[in-house]
Amino acid sequence: MELKKFLDYSKFDSGLASVLTAISQGSILIQKKISRLSLENLEGSTGTKNIQNEDVKKLDILANNIFLEKFKESENVAMVGCEELENPETFNHSISNFLINMDPLDGSSNIDVGVNIGSIFGIWHAKENEKLSENSLLKAGREQIASAYVVYGSSTVMVIASQKGVQCFILDTQNNAFILSKSNITIPGKCKYYSVNYGNFQYFNTNIQNSIAKLQKTYSLRYIGSLVADFHRNLLEGGVFLYPKDSKNPNGKLRLMYEANPLSFIAERAGGIGTNGSNNILDIKPKTLHERIPLFIGNSNVIENILI
Ligand code: AHG
Ligand code: MN
Ligand code: MN
């Protein structure tokens, strides 16, 4: 039998290892909650709205609290920006210098209907001698040390991109440990899928409508409605995901700091690309923590030849 390779944190420097440990421990707790959702009265909404004026689900808040607690315990995280928090959370530890932007629960509309959801993390370093302020979180995506996501799906998987490439780990629920399942992932050269919310077609500009008409001729449509799960499928199988701006959402819907940046960092390390239609996502100078951005991400040849 093949020897199991556990998620080996010794490959990373000790600070990053501690951040990744926090993410893996948090996601194991969340996976357990998801698998018992209605049994623990975790379905549905809190009845409140977040800073984006979006309905906040019970699991959004639970995931937010679990990851904040794990990052606090790690003592290596100085500041966390989060979809669910108007302002960043700051921890005062003497050894802490990692800065995290996170979407603790991506795909909230799929929580209560048994469809894949996930968590997304961008990981930056404070600069040497940097005096931390809210602006410290507004670093360009290219400056990420690493990024990671978890998909709670048919199995629970964690994908990590760092200088060492892109690796995928599967959660062994019997042993509460992530085991290496795919190493040095690259997006397959042949694109199979395109992913877009067709319900918005009438609101797209003519250029986008024409591009989608071209995609339609060649590729199969797949759209889950959880960015992280759509991205994961396209990463493994070959595909492009697009959430363009439209007449209802003039800046797009997805968030630069905790959706577009972490996933574009992974896409680029896997040989793909993330753009907003005119600029590489990773080169954009962020203005605010919760800013929205159009996103085209996946196989670079398709994005460069058809979509922009
Ligand atoms: P979140 O649940 O973190 O608010 O993100 C939802 C996002 C993203 O996951 C998904 O790709 C997109 O919303 C789907 O939007 P539509 O329902 O408009 O297609
Ligand atoms: Mn999201
Ligand atoms: Mn979310």
Side-chain angles (χ1 to χ4, degrees):
M1 197 176 107
E2 207 187 327
L3 204 62
K4 284 181 176 179
K5 278 198 199 158
F6 286 87
L7 174 45
D8 179 6
Y9 299 105
S10 64
K11 282 185 174 173
F12 304 101
D13 81 49
S14 61
L16 182 55
S18 141
V19 172
L20 295 172
T21 303
I23 292 173
S24 64
Q25 289 176 344
S27 61
I28 290 170
L29 292 177
I30 292 163
Q31 188 275 334
K32 289 186 198 305
K33 294 293 182 187
I34 292 169
S35 67
R36 292 177 46 81
L37 199 70
S38 56
L39 303 178
E40 298 207 10
N41 190 27
L42 286 170
E43 277 183 331
S45 169
T46 58
T48 57
K49 303 262 183 203
N50 65 11
I51 173 72
Q52 350 256 343
N53 204 27
E54 291 166 346
D55 183 37
V56 176
K57 298 280 170 65
K58 291 179 189 172
L59 207 64
D60 289 320
I61 294 303
L62 184 71
N64 173 70
N65 294 344
I66 285 176
F67 285 121
L68 282 183
E69 192 54 38
K70 290 292 168 193
F71 287 136
K72 189 175 171 193
E73 277 172 26
S74 95
E75 298 195 347
N76 275 279
V77 176
M79 199 178 271
V80 182
C82 174
E83 179 186 5
E84 307 303 338
L85 302 173
E86 181 170 2
N87 299 309
E89 182 82 21
T90 307
F91 302 122
N92 293 314
H93 300 302
S94 54
I95 55 165
S96 59
N97 56 5
F98 281 88
L99 308 170
I100 313 281
N101 284 309
M102 70 170 173
D103 178 352
L105 205 293
D106 179 65
S108 302
S109 67
N110 283 326
I111 296 171
D112 297 341
V113 291
V115 178
N116 297 7
I117 51 183
S119 306
I120 309 174
F121 306 87
I123 305 168
W124 285 258
H125 242 161
K127 298 208 164 67
E128 219 174 297
N129 300 323
E130 180 175 348
K131 191 167 168 354
L132 293 181
S133 71
E134 285 191 19
N135 290 340
S136 303
L137 289 175
L138 302 180
K139 293 182 170 43
R142 200 165 290 292
E143 294 177 37
Q144 285 169 104
I145 306 296
S147 70
Y149 66 78
V150 178
V151 177
Y152 313 98
S154 49
S155 51
T156 293
V157 295
M158 173 151 79
V159 172
I160 301 171
S162 69
Q163 297 309 342
K164 300 180 196 311
V166 182
Q167 325 296 344
C168 181
F169 301 85
I170 181 166
L171 178 61
D172 175 350
T173 50
Q174 288 179 12
N175 293 303
N176 285 336
F178 280 96
I179 315 263
L180 182 67
S181 62
K182 295 177 181 65
S183 48
N184 302 318
I185 295 173
T186 53
I187 300 183
K190 190 170 168 359
C191 177
K192 278 169 79 172
Y193 301 123
Y194 72 112
S195 312
V196 65
N197 184 338
Y198 248 97
N200 292 334
F201 193 85
Q202 60 188 309
Y203 306 113
F204 294 142
N205 67 34
T206 316
N207 281 347
I208 297 291
Q209 289 180 336
N210 291 341
S211 297
I212 291 173
K214 283 189 203 158
L215 293 173
Q216 192 178 19
K217 287 193 182 127
T218 313
Y219 308 109
S220 290
L221 173 69
R222 294 282 187 283
Y223 192 72
I224 294 168
S226 298
L227 167 67
V228 70
D230 278 305
F231 177 83
H232 185 62
R233 181 203 52 247
N234 292 351
L235 175 73
L236 298 184
E237 298 285 320
V240 292
F241 174 97
L242 42 153
Y243 208 110
K245 67 181 178 185
D246 60 47
S247 53
K248 289 185 304 175
N249 302 293
N251 299 317
K253 177 182 182 189
L254 299 174
R255 279 55 62 101
L256 173 62
M257 294 315 294
Y258 39 82
E259 292 178 320
N261 265 331
L263 298 187
S264 296
F265 185 84
I266 294 172
E268 204 164 291
R269 260 157 198 67
I273 194 171
T275 93
N276 67 354
S278 28
N279 297 104
N280 188 307
I281 292 286
L282 299 177
D283 293 325
I284 291 169
K285 174 88 191 85
K287 293 188 205 66
T288 61
L289 181 56
H290 298 289
E291 77 184 85
R292 295 178 191 271
I293 194 149
L295 180 64
F296 304 84
I297 190 167
N299 286 70
S300 35
N301 56 336
V302 177
I303 288 181
E304 280 156 9
N305 293 327
I306 299 183
L307 286 170
I308 57 177

